[in-house]
Amino acid sequence: PPINAVSSLPTVMLSEAEVERIRHWLAIRSETRACEGEFAAVNQQGDLVAILVAKDDGTLRPVRNFV
């Protein structure tokens, strides 16, 4: 599975609404998540959907999109 290629990154599980935002290269809020560095973003089924990077404004932004 593609998620194995980024196993060194922390994983963030996204809601369907967050996956839809990422699909359109939009940022998502990260108020309840640790926010530093890069993250492997997965959907509710555990599929890799993006690589996200934490920004100083409290958002996670896609740098690689797989959806």
Side-chain angles (χ1 to χ4, degrees), residues 14-29 52 59-62 65 67:
L14 304 180
S15 68
E16 288 183 34
E18 290 171 321
V19 170
E20 190 60 28
R21 287 188 59 81
I22 294 300
R23 179 184 324 262
H24 297 287
W25 294 92
L26 300 173
I28 58 172
R29 298 299 287 157
L52 306 177
T59 61
L60 294 172
R61 297 185 186 273
N65 195 336
V67 290

Side-chain angles (χ1 to χ4, degrees), residues 1-66:
I3 191 68
N4 292 342
V6 292
S7 62
S8 62
L9 295 177
T11 302
V12 174
M13 185 169 289
L14 304 180
S15 68
E16 288 183 34
E18 290 171 321
V19 170
E20 190 60 28
R21 287 188 59 81
I22 294 300
R23 179 184 324 262
H24 297 287
W25 294 92
L26 300 173
I28 58 172
R29 298 299 287 157
S30 181
E31 296 167 1
T32 61
R33 301 178 180 121
C35 203
E36 185 175 297
E38 289 187 330
F39 296 84
V42 298
N43 62 15
Q44 297 293 312
Q45 293 75 38
D47 301 320
L48 181 65
V49 296
I51 304 297
L52 306 177
V53 65
K55 295 297 187 178
D56 291 337
D57 64 359
T59 61
L60 294 172
R61 297 185 186 273
V63 292
R64 295 286 184 266
N65 195 336
F66 307 112

